[in-house]
Amino acid sequence: MALTEFGLIERFFKQQRVQRSDVDLGIGDDAALVTVPAGQQLVVAIDTLVAGVHFPVDTSPAHIGYKSLAVNLSDLAAMGAEPAWATLALTLPESNADWLAAFAAGFFELAERYQLQLIGGDTCRGPLTVSVQIAGLVPTGQALMRSKANIGDLIFVTGQIGDAGIGLKLRLDLDRGHPARKIENAAYFIERLEKPQPRIDAGLALRGLATAAIDVSDGLAADLGHILEASGVGAVINLEQLPVATELKKNGDAWWQMAISAGDDYELCFTASADQRQEVEQAMQRIGCPCACIGQIESKPGLRLHLAGRDQKLAVTGYQHFGS
Ligand code: ADP
Ligand code: MG
């Protein structure tokens, strides 16, 4: 049954388990009111997902709801921020109650995990597009930025990279009606694509430890490239140290090409002083977050790739400017 705009907001978005004491006025007025505690900075980010561009059109609504918040949480993680509030702009072709219930379930699953409250939004009719604006808090001066990497810093990455790229290949096969590729753990890789786990805990643990950070959304080479550019430095990556699935290494020599160019992993790439290596590794161990040291910041601009002591070139067109 079709619902009116106000009916669907009331039914699917106003009722929520998270009720933060710093929300002075939530959904229902022309705008929301929140209180930012003294000594904290407000950290704000927004990300839009467009059907057919950022996710296959037949992705389940629960996964769209989940991922629209996950990609935003990942941006806060990369800043070392603690999530607090979000607003949601939904453009829908029709007001389908089943679709909305599933979308809201996916969205609020993550919101509850991080004590994040939805405090407002906008709803209109049109091609399926989801924009989430997220806001969080960081003690003044402690945010992690792209621009603070120093020459000699070590480069780290959390988790495993390239997983979502494998998931996308599997997902596209399924969408085209091809039999699933023969790969072990297919469900794991698809889950990594559709339900990324934002590294909020890692971002918080890295305050005061990491010099620069970014989340890996467009592929490690491109995203590390942003740190290098913003910091005015270069880097070397030792490809044998990349944390990748064993399934990826079965792909022949090009395994690392995919690992550093596939997007959507939502891991963190960060730099830290070489003196702090132990502290970084202990902090990551404490929160149960896998973390690998993959290279080092250098003064010479650009990104250099080493494998077994030899220089390698990134083949993917569009990324050549990171090569040596
Ligand atoms: P206005 O016309 O003043 O912009 P709306 O009629 O768009 O207000 O929205 C009414 C209330 O519902 C506002 O508080 C708005 O933030 C909230 N809202 C609208 N759409 C959503 C949504 N998709 N999710 C959460 N809150 C929403
Ligand atoms: Mg409005």
Side-chain angles (χ1 to χ4, degrees), residues 99-173:
W99 193 96
L100 281 159
F103 175 91
F107 185 95
F108 288 119
E109 173 192 338
L110 255 188
E112 279 166 32
R113 195 182 309 161
Y114 292 105
Q115 287 303 297
L116 175 134
Q117 188 173 338
L118 182 66
I119 56 169
D122 194 25
T123 309
C124 58
R125 188 186 291 267
L128 178 59
T129 304
V130 184
S131 266
V132 174
Q133 183 181 53
I134 196 164
L137 298 166
V138 69
T140 300
Q142 286 191 32
L144 307 175
M145 287 179 269
R146 297 178 179 187
S147 56
K148 303 284 161 87
N150 300 310
I151 295 160
D153 281 356
L154 298 177
I155 303 167
F156 298 85
V157 69
T158 62
Q160 202 161 260
I161 54 164
D163 285 359
I166 300 176
L168 182 63
K169 281 205 160 82
L170 295 170
R171 183 63 227 241
L172 293 174
D173 278 358

Side-chain angles (χ1 to χ4, degrees), residues 167-240:
L168 182 63
K169 281 205 160 82
L170 295 170
R171 183 63 227 241
L172 293 174
D173 278 358
L174 292 177
D175 290 351
R176 292 186 193 119
H178 293 179
R181 283 171 208 234
K182 285 207 174 55
I183 180 165
E184 275 175 56
N185 306 324
Y188 161 82
F189 292 108
I190 290 181
E191 171 121 348
R192 285 279 282 157
L193 173 73
E194 294 184 339
K195 292 194 82 180
Q197 304 290 326
R199 293 290 187 186
I200 293 290
D201 292 352
L204 296 177
L206 288 170
R207 285 179 184 167
L209 272 179
T211 47
I214 192 166
D215 67 318
V216 181
S217 53
D218 297 334
L220 181 68
D223 290 318
L224 174 59
H226 295 314
I227 288 185
L228 302 184
E229 237 163 79
S231 300
V233 294
V236 59
I237 290 183
N238 301 310
L239 295 168
E240 48 268 278

